[in-house]
């Protein structure tokens, strides 16, 4: 009908070439296939993914914003170095925000919210059983996002999501390099879910604090040792 807004029925756009390239290169950096300090030649990536250099450059610019790569004069693009100071700062900011955010989420969580967290936990457990560190690492971020979702604190959640995006690389390194890290994270995730199911915001905040401190301590020890 004339004047009718039909935008709601427009086809959903498929991921662009740049989106797909950024996702694939990001995954290889997070999996430590592209190592800290390694040069990423745009021509090589374009050949590997059978695209022109332009979308490769745009994808790398996105990853630069995420802190995963660095554009350097006369050196091209390299994978960002791992920084103990940056990692410690990111975890310290998490400590200031996530325990309180989780407590608010517990107070507001619905049965559906808890079921969503349980679904991710089941996937994490399966990934751990299969020894799939990359998948467990990706699900770790999904798990924390699901824990915080019921809080209804959008500004804080945006900040925390950005933090966890930047910290994802360090978490995956912890899972790959630290003995028993996956088992410890799995056990602590069970404790976080139990606090949510018990509707206990104080226990939830305390367990989230311990979870973050444990990961931070293990990573600092691994990098400085």
């Amino acid at each position: 009908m004339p004047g009718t807004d039909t935008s709601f029925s427009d086809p959903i756009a498929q991921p662009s070439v740049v989106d797909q390239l950024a996702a694939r290169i990001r995954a290889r950096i997070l999996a430590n296939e592209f190592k800290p300090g390694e040069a990423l030649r745009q021509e090589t990536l374009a050949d590997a993914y059978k695209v022109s250099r332009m979308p490769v450059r745009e994808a790398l610019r996105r990853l630069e914003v995420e802190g995963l790569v660095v554009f350097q004069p006369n050196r091209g693009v390299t994978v960002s170095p791992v920084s103990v100071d940056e990692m410690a700062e990111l975890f310290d900011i998490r400590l200031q925000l996530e325990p309180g955010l989780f407590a608010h989420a517990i107070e507001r969580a619905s049965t559906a919210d808890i079921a969503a967290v349980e679904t991710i936990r089941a996937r994490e457990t399966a990934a751990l059983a299969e020894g799939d560190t990359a998948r467990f690492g990706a699900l770790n971020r999904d798990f924390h996002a699901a824990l915080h979702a019921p809080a209804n604190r959008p500004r804080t959640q945006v900040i925390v999501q950005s933090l966890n995006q930047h910290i994802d690389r360090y978490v995956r390194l912890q899972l790959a390099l630290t003995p028993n890290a996956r088992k410890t994270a799995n056990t602590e995730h069970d404790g976080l879910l139990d606090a949510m199911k018990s509707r206990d915001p104080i226990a939830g905040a305390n367990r989230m604090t311990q979870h973050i401190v444990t990961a931070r301590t293990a990573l600092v020890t691994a990098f400085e040792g």
Side-chain angles (χ1 to χ4, degrees), residues 127-140:
L128 183 65
E130 295 166 11
D132 191 338
T133 300
R135 186 154 63 97
F136 186 88
L139 287 166
N140 174 74

Side-chain angles (χ1 to χ4, degrees), residues 63-76:
L63 299 180
E64 181 185 32
V65 173
E66 296 177 18
L68 293 176
V69 303
V70 179
F71 278 74
Q72 297 178 315
N74 304 318
R75 289 192 58 194

Side-chain angles (χ1 to χ4, degrees), residues 43 74 126 201 207 211:
E43 299 88 344
N74 304 318
R207 290 176 187 178
H211 180 52

Side-chain angles (χ1 to χ4, degrees), residues 32-83:
N32 207 35
E33 292 178 27
F34 291 145
K35 301 187 182 302
E38 181 175 344
L40 299 179
R41 294 182 58 82
Q42 295 178 48
E43 299 88 344
T44 302
L45 291 170
D47 289 344
Y49 294 115
K50 297 180 172 54
V51 296
S52 68
R53 287 183 57 188
M54 183 63 72
V56 170
R57 186 173 183 81
E58 290 183 32
L60 291 173
R61 283 297 184 188
R62 290 191 186 181
L63 299 180
E64 181 185 32
V65 173
E66 296 177 18
L68 293 176
V69 303
V70 179
F71 278 74
Q72 297 178 315
N74 304 318
R75 289 192 58 194
V77 184
T78 59
V79 178
S80 298
V82 173
S83 165

